[in-house]
Amino acid sequence: MDIVNEILEREQKKAEKYKSITVDKHLEVDIDVGCLLASDTNDLDSKLLEKSKDIFLQALTRDNTQLLLNKIWELPTERADEAIIVKLPEPKTVIPRAKPVPKPKPLTKWQEFAKSKGITKKKKDKLQWDEQLQKWVPLYGFKKAAAEKEKNWLIEVPQNLDPMTDMYEKKASEKSEKVAKNELQRLKNLARSKKVKIPRVGLPVTSDKANATQLETAATIAKASTASLGKFQDKLPKEKEARGKGIHELIPGKERKRKLPIPTPQQERENNLSMLDSILSKRPKIDMDKAVAKHINDEQVQRSEEKRNTKSPKAGKRKTKGGNATNFSAKKPKAGKGQRNPSKKAGSGRKRR
């Protein structure tokens, strides 16, 4: 009986390990294969959840994952490089993103040419047998360079060159030219992808002569390219630094403004609340001494005006030719002090006849 029980327990453990792919649910699980999302709206068993929380959640996750995989295997499959792949349909659920969807990279000049001619990329071997060294040599990398150095320990000078020509230096210069050519081609591909016009022979794009903005930019960059980053460079009397979009990135030594990361909803809420508190907490500052002094000064000015109005001279009335009465002051007008100007010569006025 003990042997029978052991066999039954063993088979039961195997059955638990390899469960069936069919899963029964009271309500059908909403599955979005495009997003690989499964939404289970069935009620949870509270008793099992309280009794053994981890086991219950593990079993629930396993069942929902099995339903999602069943839906994936219903799609048409393909085989590529000894692997089975499935093309997922368009997603139905709209998931919010913190950043925009990345745009596909534009094709390079060679990729466009290969696509138009129908050239497909073939997978090449990483190693190649070298007859001279009698060993497998990689096609690229530092081991390839070491193998070339070992193989070309002696280079013959061609007859059309000077016998004193250093072939190692010439080979190094040719390699550096090739690297520079590849880098130039990479920059041209970037300019083409961003739709930027570039000169073909190194001349300016707009005309045969550089304009004032281009000259200012070139002068600013040249001054900042010294060892002191332009700190000890003299300036002309009316010289202005170039300003504009993208110039700050070209000048060496300038501090780049790092773009702040997108804040989370909690951080944004805290920033808004702190800004609101700082606005509401601000109160106008009142200088009591200044306010009292201003009030006393206003009272004194008001009293002096009242005194001046009460002590003003009596005014009389005089009739004009039209019969209308006009106000006039009873006070006599001020006369001159009776002093003559000594610098003024006598008899310089108008002569009477």
Side-chain angles (χ1 to χ4, degrees):
M1 289 294 293
D2 295 337
I3 297 172
V4 174
N5 291 332
E6 288 180 2
I7 294 171
L8 291 175
E9 288 178 1
R10 197 183 303 162
E11 293 295 329
Q12 187 176 0
K13 288 181 180 179
K14 285 184 179 180
E16 289 177 355
K17 187 177 180 181
Y18 303 104
K19 291 184 179 180
S20 175
I21 61 172
T22 57
V23 180
D24 296 329
K25 290 280 186 178
H26 181 67
L27 296 175
E28 189 176 355
V29 178
D30 187 12
I31 297 175
D32 187 359
V33 186
C35 293
L36 299 178
L37 176 66
S39 303
D40 190 359
T41 56
N42 291 282
D43 295 333
L44 300 176
D45 194 346
S46 57
K47 293 182 179 180
L48 290 175
L49 188 62
E50 292 176 358
K51 186 177 180 181
S52 55
K53 182 179 178 181
D54 295 338
I55 298 173
F56 175 74
L57 292 177
Q58 187 178 1
L60 183 64
T61 307
R62 183 262 163 198
D63 293 343
N64 291 336
T65 307
Q66 184 65 55
L67 291 173
L68 179 60
L69 291 173
N70 292 343
K71 287 288 185 180
I72 293 173
W73 281 108
E74 291 177 3
L75 299 173
T77 59
E78 297 177 2
R79 182 176 290 276
D81 295 337
E82 299 180 0
I84 299 174
I85 60 173
V86 175
K87 188 176 181 181
L88 299 177
E90 291 293 328
K92 301 176 183 177
T93 308
V94 180
I95 301 176
R97 292 179 60 95
K99 295 182 179 180
V101 181
K103 297 180 181 179
K105 291 184 179 180
L107 299 177
T108 62
K109 196 172 182 180
W110 162 251
Q111 289 174 347
E112 289 180 354
F113 174 76
K115 188 177 179 181
S116 62
K117 297 296 182 180
I119 301 172
T120 56
K121 187 177 179 181
K122 295 181 180 180
K123 190 176 181 181
K124 296 182 179 179
D125 297 330
K126 295 182 180 180
L127 299 175
Q128 186 180 13
W129 178 259
D130 195 334
E131 294 291 341
Q132 186 175 349
L133 298 176
Q134 292 295 314
K135 64 178 182 179
W136 292 96
V137 179
L139 295 174
Y140 52 87
F142 68 97
K143 291 185 178 180
K144 170 70 173 177
E148 288 291 330
K149 190 175 181 181
E150 182 182 355
K151 186 169 64 174
N152 298 328
W153 62 274
L154 180 65
I155 303 176
E156 185 180 357
V157 180
Q159 294 181 357
N160 57 349
L161 295 178
D162 187 8
M164 302 304 292
T165 305
D166 190 353
M167 295 302 297
Y168 291 101
E169 185 179 354
K170 186 179 180 182
K171 198 169 184 181
S173 64
E174 288 177 356
K175 186 177 180 181
S176 61
E177 287 178 3
K178 190 176 180 181
V179 172
K181 183 181 177 182
N182 292 337
E183 180 65 17
L184 179 63
Q185 191 62 37
R186 187 184 70 85
L187 294 175
K188 284 183 178 180
N189 289 331
L190 287 175
R192 285 177 63 255
S193 63
K194 294 183 179 181
K195 297 181 180 180
V196 177
K197 292 183 179 180
I198 55 175
R200 298 188 64 181
V201 200
L203 298 176
V205 181
T206 53
S207 63
D208 57 344
K209 294 181 180 180
N211 54 19
T213 306
Q214 291 174 347
L215 292 175
E216 286 181 1
T217 305
T220 304
I221 295 170
K223 281 193 173 183
S225 300
T226 58
S228 62
L229 300 177
K231 186 177 180 181
F232 302 105
Q233 295 295 318
D234 297 332
K235 288 187 178 181
L236 297 174
K238 295 183 180 181
E239 183 181 358
K240 296 180 180 179
E241 289 189 358
R243 294 180 181 179
K245 189 177 180 181
I247 297 175
H248 198 78
E249 298 292 334
L250 298 174
I251 299 174
K254 290 287 186 181
E255 295 181 357
R256 271 65 169 173
K257 290 185 178 180
R258 185 173 62 87
K259 293 183 179 179
L260 296 175
I262 298 173
T264 59
Q266 185 178 0
Q267 292 176 350
E268 192 173 359
R269 183 171 176 273
E270 291 177 357
N271 294 339
N272 293 336
L273 288 175
S274 63
M275 187 187 298
L276 186 62
D277 291 339
S278 64
I279 293 172
L280 295 178
S281 62
K282 286 183 179 179
R283 294 181 180 179
K285 295 182 180 179
I286 301 173
D287 192 352
M288 296 301 296
D289 296 337
K290 193 174 181 180
V292 171
K294 188 176 183 301
H295 182 67
I296 293 171
N297 187 24
D298 292 343
E299 287 184 351
Q300 290 177 355
V301 170
Q302 187 176 0
R303 288 174 188 173
S304 62
E305 288 180 356
E306 290 177 357
K307 287 181 182 180
R308 194 181 301 162
N309 293 333
T310 53
K311 292 182 180 181
S312 60
K314 295 181 181 179
K317 291 185 180 181
R318 182 175 61 185
K319 289 185 179 180
T320 58
K321 293 181 179 180
N324 297 328
T326 58
N327 295 330
F328 67 93
S329 176
K331 193 174 180 181
K332 292 182 179 181
K334 291 183 179 180
K337 294 183 180 179
Q339 296 179 357
R340 293 183 179 180
N341 191 356
S343 62
K344 189 175 181 181
K345 294 181 180 180
S348 62
R350 184 178 179 184
K351 295 181 179 181
R352 294 183 179 180
R353 293 182 180 179

